[in-house]
């Protein structure tokens, strides 16, 4: 028991001791200073979650932010976002352009900003503003990075193409190509443009490239000329293989498979072709001649398969546009026409289209649904210049009739010469039926000046001189044009005053279309371009003309035949523009940049009063 009480007493003692120790610890803790507690971290400021928006959503956001706070850097970022889009909305382009215009003048002056502004103007179709904003290159500009220079050069190329300066545009595209090595899609698009520009050049311009005038062009020209000269896929493979061996690392190697595969050229056989022509009214004779050719070619090319639907536009633009719209609604596959210029313009403005071959020229501005085909005096003038240059004649004396026709030819002729950096020695305008035509021709050829020189020499020497006055010596050939009647009036005076010593070139208008040796004997020696159909059908064609006499407007019959054939091949040639099509009006090639089919005519020379077709460029010059 005592032992038991002892342990009980000891337990009570230990309990009191523990309480005493605990109390002391509490008192000690109260007496000793405690350190400051660690401060709690402040809550972080909430930040909006950064979302990587798709480009087409990001650009409008940046444009809106730039409108709210138009700081130069935010404006530039917004414009760049819009320009980076593949197909930006028109309103977005307009808003970006307004932001660029609202920048201070000094903020629009650096090259990078001029390129931005120029690209925006081009996207809006304001090419004058695009050229003005782009200005000249500035090699010392701090913003002129490789990317800025590349974008500026690309815009420069587009401007040249818009102005139809195909040669200069090709030069820009060739220089641009090496800058796109790291952007294969952009480089492929640029190379396709190069190929199209090669097709757009006149033959004499391609001749210039073959002389290494543009060093980067030489491989391209060799390939283009090689493939243009073959008709089968085996021949195309042979040309491509030889070219690849010579230029194994040239970037155009990537185009070879598709170019080779385009041989032989395949026509499409549409179910329905709609033809829109003026078959009544003032242009009825032209329209019916073209329809004659279209109908002939339709059966020759298609064997009569499918449907050929003919509609009369009556020479009215609104009627043509309405017939075009109905044709599209009815689901026709292809359309040929209309013919008159106002109707063509009305049709080009259509919202819904079908592949269409227009029978007059107009600006298409990249609308790939349309192509154009025409016979007009302006293109005849270009053909004359081209042949003269290839022959080596560079200094023409030009004699043209007064009036609108002469105005059109004169302007086109000067434009064609300007492409080669040339000008005519003189352009003389006269009326072949004028009473003083003899004096006018004498003055134009410099006969009066030559006679005056003879008189002056006689006066100084005191001798009696008899000399034949000479035609002015600063011209190496004559270019004349007018109707066949006007030329029969003019040419005898040219011969009388010694112009026979100079080569004489004319447009097709000199030939009425039917041979008449007695009437045209004075035209002997004159060279002119024309539709080969006329030159190969001087005699009745397989009896076709023996019943009803000569065709009316045979050149336009040939144009109709060619229009049908080109329409069937249009899509294939757009994809491989080196192809040519031989037709009744000439050999046609497509300029895929403008959408124009360009004619290389046949050439003829009057001999014994009748036109004789020439062969090579130099023959008979």
């Amino acid at each position: 028991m005592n032992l038991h009480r002892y342990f009980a007493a000891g337990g009570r003692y230990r309990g009191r001791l523990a309480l005493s120790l605990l109390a002391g610890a509490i008192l000690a803790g109260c007496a000793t200073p405690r350190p400051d507690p660690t401060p709690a971290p402040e809550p972080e400021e909430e930040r909006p979650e950064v979302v990587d928006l798709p480009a087409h959503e990001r650009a409008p956001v940046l444009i809106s932010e730039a409108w709210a706070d138009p700081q130069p850097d935010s404006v530039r970022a917004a414009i760049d976002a819009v320009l980076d889009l593949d197909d930006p909305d028109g309103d977005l382009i307009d808003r970006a352009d307004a932001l660029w215009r609202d920048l201070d003048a000094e903020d629009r002056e650096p090259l990078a900003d001029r390129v931005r502004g120029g690209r925006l103007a081009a996207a809006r179709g304001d090419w004058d503003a695009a050229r003005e904003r782009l200005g000249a290159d500035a090699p010392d500009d701090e913003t002129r990075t490789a990317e800025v220079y590349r974008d500026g050069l690309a815009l420069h190329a587009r401007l040249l193409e818009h102005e139809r300066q195909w040669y200069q545009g090709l030069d820009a595209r060739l220089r641009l190509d090496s800058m796109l090595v790291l952007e294969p899609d952009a480089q492929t698009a640029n190379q396709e443009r190069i190929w199209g520009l090669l097709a757009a050049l006149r033959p004499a311009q391609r001749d210039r490239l073959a002389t290494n005038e543009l060093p980067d062009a030489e491989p391209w020209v060799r390939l283009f000329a090689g493939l243009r000269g073959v008709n089968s896929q085996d021949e195309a493979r042979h040309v491509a293989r030889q070219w690849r061996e010579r230029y194994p690392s040239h970037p155009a190697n990537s185009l070879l498979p598709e170019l080779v595969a385009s041989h032989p050229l395949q026509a499409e056989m549409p179910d329905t072709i709609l033809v829109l022509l003026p078959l009544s009214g003032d242009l009825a004779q032209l329209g019916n001649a073209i329809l004659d050719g279209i109908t002939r070619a339709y059966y020759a090319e298609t064997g009569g398969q499918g449907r050929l639907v003919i509609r009369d536009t009556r020479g009215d633009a609104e009627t043509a546009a309405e017939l075009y719209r109905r044709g599209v609604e009815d689901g026709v596959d292809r359309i040929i026409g209309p013919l008159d210029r106002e109707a063509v313009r009305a049709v080009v403005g259509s919202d819904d289209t079908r592949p269409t071959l227009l029978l007059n020229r107009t600006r298409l501005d990249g609308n790939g649904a349309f192509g154009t085909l025409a016979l007009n005096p302006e293109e005849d003038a270009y053909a004359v210049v081209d042949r003269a240059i290839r022959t080596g004649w560079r200094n023409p004396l030009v004699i043209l009739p007064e009036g609108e026709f002469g105005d059109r030819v004169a302007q086109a002729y000067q434009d064609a010469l300007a492409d080669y950096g040339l000008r005519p020695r003189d352009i003389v305008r006269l009326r072949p039926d004028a009473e003083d035509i003899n004096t006018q021709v004498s003055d134009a050829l410099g006969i009066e000046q030559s006679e005056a020189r003879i008189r002056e020499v006689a006066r100084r020497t005191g001798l009696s001189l008899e000399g034949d006055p000479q035609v002015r010596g600063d011209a190496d050939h004559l270019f004349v044009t007018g109707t066949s009647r006007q030329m029969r009036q003019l040419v005898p005076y040219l011969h009388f005053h010694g112009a026979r010593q100079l080569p004489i070139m004319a447009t097709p208008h000199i030939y009425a279309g039917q041979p008449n040796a007695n009437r045209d004997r004075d035209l002997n020696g004159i060279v002119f371009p024309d539709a080969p159909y006329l030159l190969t059908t001087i005699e009745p064609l397989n009896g076709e003309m023996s019943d009803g006499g000569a065709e009316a407007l045979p050149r336009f019959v040939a144009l109709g035949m060619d229009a049908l054939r080109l329409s069937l091949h249009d899509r294939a040639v757009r994809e491989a523009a080196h192809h040519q099509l031989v037709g009744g009006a000439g050999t046609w090639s497509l300029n895929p940049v403008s959408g124009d089919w360009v004619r290389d005519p046949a050439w003829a020379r009057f001999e014994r009063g009748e036109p004789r077709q020439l062969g090579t460029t130099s023959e008979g010059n």
Side-chain angles (χ1 to χ4, degrees), residues 226-227 229-241 260 263:
L227 291 177
V230 302
N231 296 311
S232 70
Q233 192 163 108
D234 286 341
E235 291 175 323
R237 287 195 188 101
H238 178 69
V239 167
R241 183 168 57 253
V260 169
H263 292 266

Side-chain angles (χ1 to χ4, degrees), residues 394-605:
R394 304 174 68 84
N395 301 300
L397 171 61
V398 181
I399 300 177
L400 302 176
E402 295 177 350
E404 181 184 357
F405 172 80
D407 292 343
R408 292 172 61 186
V409 173
Q411 186 60 58
Y413 191 82
Q414 291 178 90
D415 291 343
L417 282 175
D419 285 343
Y420 301 98
L422 301 175
R423 298 175 59 188
R425 290 304 184 190
D426 198 0
I427 296 181
V428 179
R429 307 294 297 277
L430 47 74
R431 287 178 46 235
D433 60 351
E435 292 184 1
D436 62 343
I437 184 63
N438 185 58
T439 302
Q440 291 186 52
V441 171
S442 174
D443 291 344
L445 296 176
I447 301 302
E448 173 60 32
Q449 293 88 331
S450 179
E451 291 175 339
R453 286 193 296 270
I454 294 173
R455 290 194 297 269
E456 178 64 16
V457 171
R459 185 187 66 78
R460 290 184 179 184
T461 61
L463 300 175
S464 177
L465 300 179
E466 293 184 4
D468 293 329
Q470 300 296 308
V471 174
R472 55 192 295 172
D474 61 344
D476 55 19
H477 70 288
L478 283 173
F479 170 52
V480 298
T481 195
T483 65
S484 55
R485 181 182 61 82
Q486 289 174 324
M487 290 299 96
R488 292 187 207 109
Q489 293 173 321
L490 172 65
V491 171
Y493 292 102
L494 294 175
H495 290 330
F496 175 77
H497 289 294
R500 195 185 299 271
Q501 63 186 277
L502 290 176
I504 303 178
M505 304 183 76
T507 64
H509 308 88
I510 195 172
Y511 178 45
Q514 300 173 23
N516 187 321
N518 292 327
R519 180 184 59 189
D520 293 334
R521 192 173 301 278
D522 286 332
L523 305 182
N524 286 345
I526 297 179
V527 175
F528 64 97
D530 212 332
Y533 180 73
L534 269 73
L535 305 175
T536 56
T537 58
I538 290 177
E539 299 299 330
L541 177 64
N542 299 326
E544 286 185 11
M545 294 188 292
S546 59
D547 300 348
E551 299 169 311
L553 303 176
R555 293 183 179 94
F556 288 91
V557 173
L559 182 69
M561 295 166 61
D562 293 353
L564 189 284
R565 188 159 186 245
L566 298 184
S567 176
L568 298 180
H569 290 85
D570 183 89
R571 184 175 301 173
V573 177
R574 285 181 188 272
E575 295 174 357
H578 61 278
H579 284 281
Q580 291 180 303
L581 289 169
V582 178
T587 299
W588 297 91
S589 58
L590 176 68
N591 178 343
V593 182
S594 67
D596 297 331
W597 284 92
V598 181
R599 181 177 69 119
D600 186 10
W603 285 85
R605 179 179 56 198

Side-chain angles (χ1 to χ4, degrees), residues 331-347:
V332 301
D333 299 297
R334 287 195 168 275
I335 301 175
I336 299 175
L339 173 64
D340 50 307
R341 186 161 298 180
E342 291 304 317
V344 164
R345 290 173 179 164
V347 163

Side-chain angles (χ1 to χ4, degrees), residues 132-147:
E132 181 180 354
R133 291 177 184 182
L134 180 62
D137 186 22
D140 297 329
D141 192 302
E142 293 181 355
T143 67
R144 188 186 185 271
T145 63
E147 182 179 4

